């Protein structure tokens, strides 16, 4: 599994958890939003090489 695939899985899992947590009034919504944010950051920074 590559970095971009992993990031997309994080985004999808985060959105699913956020949707479930929001409907169930569960703290999982905040965890899901955090996972989605991490996935978006990884996607935004993937492919960039330091010093390149």
């Amino acid at each position: 599994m590559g970095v971009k695939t992993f990031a997309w899985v994080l985004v999808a899992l985060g959105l699913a958890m956020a949707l479930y947590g929001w409907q169930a009034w569960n703290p999982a919504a905040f965890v899901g939003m955090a996972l989605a944010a991490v996935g978006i950051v990884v996607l935004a920074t993937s492919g960039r090489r330091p010093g390149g």
Side-chain angles (χ1 to χ4, degrees), residues 1-19 28-46:
M1 179 184 316
V3 173
K4 288 186 179 182
T5 305
F6 179 71
W8 280 113
V9 169
L10 277 181
V11 171
L13 181 65
L15 291 177
M17 284 182 66
L19 182 62
F30 297 107
V31 175
M33 291 188 319
L35 277 179
V38 167
I40 290 170
V41 167
V42 170
L43 278 174
T45 59
S46 67

